[in-house]
Amino acid sequence: MHDLAQNIMDNLIPFFDLFILALNIFSIVVLIWGVIMSGIDFLKSERANRNRVVMARQNNFIKSFLGSYILLSLEILIAADIIESIIKPTFQDILKLAILVVIRTVISYFLHKEIEDALKDKENEADEKKVI
């Protein structure tokens, strides 16, 4: 029975390797897409003639928008790393995964806080416009 399970895993490893590669590539595509979209929004914001306070708020929102794409990209990379550590469970891979998860979790936490702050600023700006 153990030989059958090992044989099945040995046959599935090339598929999982391709899947991991696809996830890594997809993560890069998500990140590049976020950079492009944020760049377009930044250029549009810079072309509009507004005062500096409004532009600073808009830039914070754009930064948060980019941060959401970075978070998504990091989560996809974590998923790929988890799959890789399952199919190749060496101590070095598990240690590498643990370190990457800690680093990405810290980054994700602070990016999430920035996104929340930017959304609150955007809501406050919308409320100020309603009052005026």
Side-chain angles (χ1 to χ4, degrees):
M1 186 66 174
H2 178 15
D3 291 336
L4 177 63
Q6 187 64 36
N7 195 11
I8 291 172
M9 275 305 289
D10 289 342
N11 289 329
L12 288 177
I13 285 177
F15 167 76
F16 285 123
D17 284 338
L18 285 174
F19 187 67
I20 291 166
L21 177 64
L23 285 175
N24 287 328
I25 291 170
F26 182 62
S27 173
I28 293 168
V29 169
V30 167
L31 187 59
I32 291 171
W33 182 255
V35 168
I36 290 170
M37 296 304 294
S38 297
I40 290 170
D41 287 346
F42 174 75
L43 292 174
K44 285 180 183 176
S45 175
E46 286 295 314
R47 288 185 62 202
N49 292 328
R50 291 182 281 182
N51 68 36
R52 288 290 169 196
V53 173
V54 173
M55 289 179 69
R57 284 183 180 168
Q58 182 66 24
N59 285 344
N60 281 338
F61 186 74
I62 293 169
K63 184 174 78 169
S64 298
F65 178 75
L66 176 59
S68 68
Y69 278 93
I70 293 170
L71 281 175
L72 179 59
S73 179
L74 288 173
E75 295 300 325
I76 294 168
L77 285 174
I78 289 172
D81 288 342
I82 290 171
I83 293 169
E84 187 172 19
S85 68
I86 290 171
I87 65 171
K88 301 175 187 173
T90 65
F91 180 74
Q92 184 177 2
D93 288 335
I94 293 172
L95 184 62
K96 176 185 140 189
L97 175 64
I99 292 169
L100 287 174
V101 168
V102 168
I103 292 169
R104 290 176 183 162
T105 301
V106 169
I107 292 171
S108 295
Y109 174 77
F110 287 109
L111 281 174
H112 184 70
K113 292 295 264 182
E114 283 190 24
I115 291 169
E116 285 180 348
D117 291 344
L119 290 175
K120 286 179 186 175
D121 287 346
K122 195 72 165 176
E123 288 174 3
N124 290 341
E125 181 183 326
D127 290 343
E128 288 174 5
K129 286 182 181 178
K130 287 180 183 177
V131 171
I132 296 175

